[in-house]
Amino acid sequence: MSFVDSLWYKKSGALSCISHLPLMPFTALFAILSSLRRFAYSQGILKSSAPPVPVIIVGGITAGGSGKTPLCVALLKHLSEEGWHPGLISRGYHGKAPSYPFVVHEDTQSEVSGDEPLLIKRELKDKAIVMTDPDRERGAKALYEMGCDVVVSDDGLQHYSLKRDAEIIVVDSVRQLGNGHLLPAGPLREGKWRLDSVCAVVYNGSGAVHTGGYGMTLHPNSPRALDGEQGRTLQRNTRVCALAGIGNPERFYETLRSLGLVVDEKISVQDHAVVSLEKLKHISTSLPVVMTAKDAVKYVKAGLDNLFVVDVEARLSDKFYETVDAALKTAVALAKRRGGQS
């Protein structure tokens, strides 16, 4: 467990309280500035806008990964099956597109689009348009101009320049809200009160689901060869090296164990970071390297034959989708009204 994880998520104690003290003035400053920013948007001092179609934000109030991307995939699939023409807007973190807004295709390089947008596009194929733009407001309008009748934003809960009709917060059901402090003393970008202001709160994983929330489980498929060779997989009790460049790698290690694999080594890498091909080649000569689907988009053309990926499918209750559908019905009228005012 890293120092930050220990500070944010470890059970409180005397040593933990002492560690927090030097950070509390910065947390207080963060709270003041974020409150002023929200107030400025709510009063129209800072301007926000959106296209005349429903906008759904899938975000979080904690720093780091909580399961937003698989939820976006599941939500977009549902919208497509219901007859919508959805589009997804993402910041494209770590991506460097030649210009913005940038439309992501299945053969786009991850260093251009960023990891999550490319993963989402490859999962959805022609079921949704995927676009990256650091300016989410501009990207959402571009999706509307391309024919999308509903826009889903992957992250961006605190990007208030983009108006929204529905918000979905994703929470790690094991880590929950950590120590409950705002950054940097804790993991929170906004206070716990924010959970009461959204359309739905989704708890990812096998931990506690609070009253009124919806559970989400990620069901893993058997590891598949990253080079696409059919039929090549890993047997139970195989010793592997795990690569998880995600916010909470422990969740991935547990997934591998649930598949009967033995996590013999781990490649420590920060969220979104890239492991050198030399290091991958060295490790894969002795152990199969198994990685998340998010990591796999970076190494699919590595040319190494001992790399595997575990794809996961997010499963949510019918009640969750009914809540989203009901929110969309209301959002259609609001979005049309917004279009008339523009």
Side-chain angles (χ1 to χ4, degrees):
M1 179 179 285
S2 69
F3 172 75
V4 171
D5 283 345
S6 178
L7 181 70
W8 287 353
Y9 296 107
K10 198 173 181 180
K11 290 184 178 180
S12 299
L15 183 60
S16 176
C17 292
I18 293 173
S19 300
H20 291 138
L21 284 177
L23 298 173
M24 293 310 291
F26 299 101
T27 288
L29 178 61
F30 179 84
I32 293 170
L33 293 176
S34 59
S35 296
L36 288 173
R37 182 171 171 272
R38 281 192 302 270
F39 177 79
Y41 274 111
S42 68
Q43 298 302 309
I45 300 170
L46 294 178
K47 301 299 181 182
S48 60
S49 65
V53 294
V55 175
I56 304 173
I57 305 288
V58 178
I61 61 171
T62 57
S66 56
K68 295 181 290 291
T69 298
L71 176 56
C72 282
V73 171
L75 179 59
L76 288 162
K77 284 182 178 178
H78 170 76
L79 293 173
S80 177
E81 291 166 359
E82 291 295 308
W84 295 86
H85 301 286
L88 177 121
I89 180 64
S90 170
R91 174 188 172 189
Y93 189 67
H94 275 205
K96 295 181 179 179
S99 62
Y100 294 102
F102 179 79
V103 178
V104 181
H105 301 282
E106 291 180 62
D107 59 353
T108 298
Q109 299 297 309
S110 63
E111 55 265 29
V112 174
S113 64
D115 302 337
E116 288 95 342
L118 182 55
L119 170 61
I120 292 171
K121 182 60 184 177
R122 289 180 176 174
E123 285 277 343
L124 294 170
K125 304 188 185 309
D126 61 353
K127 293 181 179 179
I129 299 174
V130 176
M131 183 172 288
T132 61
D133 196 333
D135 184 338
R136 293 176 189 271
E137 178 187 359
R138 179 178 61 190
K141 290 179 179 178
L143 286 170
Y144 165 67
E145 291 167 358
M146 293 183 69
C148 294
D149 54 12
V150 59
V151 172
V152 175
S153 176
D154 181 10
D155 210 356
L157 189 70
Q158 291 78 34
H159 290 257
Y160 290 108
S161 61
L162 177 61
K163 284 186 177 179
R164 64 287 307 266
D165 303 284
E167 296 174 319
I168 300 170
I169 287 180
V170 188
V171 176
D172 185 314
S173 67
V174 175
R175 288 182 163 190
Q176 297 284 326
L177 304 183
N179 59 22
H181 294 308
L182 293 174
L183 292 165
L188 298 186
R189 295 170 175 171
E190 294 183 281
K192 183 180 178 180
W193 61 268
R194 194 70 167 84
L195 299 179
D196 299 323
S197 68
V198 300
C199 169
V201 180
V202 173
Y203 291 87
N204 174 28
S206 57
V209 176
H210 289 222
T211 303
Y214 302 91
M216 177 176 77
T217 55
L218 301 181
H219 289 251
N221 295 322
S222 298
R224 60 176 175 84
L226 190 57
D227 61 11
E229 183 178 333
Q230 298 296 320
R232 190 157 60 90
T233 185
L234 299 174
Q235 302 299 317
R236 294 182 66 86
N237 298 318
T238 300
R239 294 168 52 249
V240 302
C241 174
L243 193 168
I246 57 177
N248 182 10
E250 287 297 330
R251 187 191 300 130
F252 182 63
Y253 304 150
E254 286 302 317
T255 296
L256 296 185
R257 295 183 185 109
S258 73
L259 293 171
L261 301 176
V262 179
V263 180
D264 197 54
E265 289 189 28
K266 302 170 184 176
I267 297 179
S268 178
V269 57
Q270 294 296 316
D271 194 8
H272 293 280
V274 180
V275 178
S276 70
L277 292 184
E278 290 78 10
K279 183 174 182 178
L280 273 183
K281 184 177 181 179
H282 174 73
I283 296 176
S284 63
T285 55
S286 57
L287 286 173
V289 177
V290 188
M291 62 189 71
T292 71
K294 174 181 166 182
D295 290 292
V297 297
K298 295 190 283 279
Y299 309 109
V300 69
K301 296 185 179 180
L304 302 177
D305 61 3
N306 208 17
L307 305 183
F308 294 82
V309 56
V310 174
D311 299 306
V312 296
E313 176 189 358
R315 295 183 185 175
L316 298 110
S317 67
D318 291 340
K319 190 174 180 181
F320 166 75
Y321 290 116
E322 289 169 4
T323 299
V324 172
D325 292 341
L328 275 174
K329 288 182 180 179
T330 303
V332 169
L334 293 173
K336 285 181 178 178
R337 191 182 311 163
R338 185 167 62 230
Q341 294 172 347
S342 61

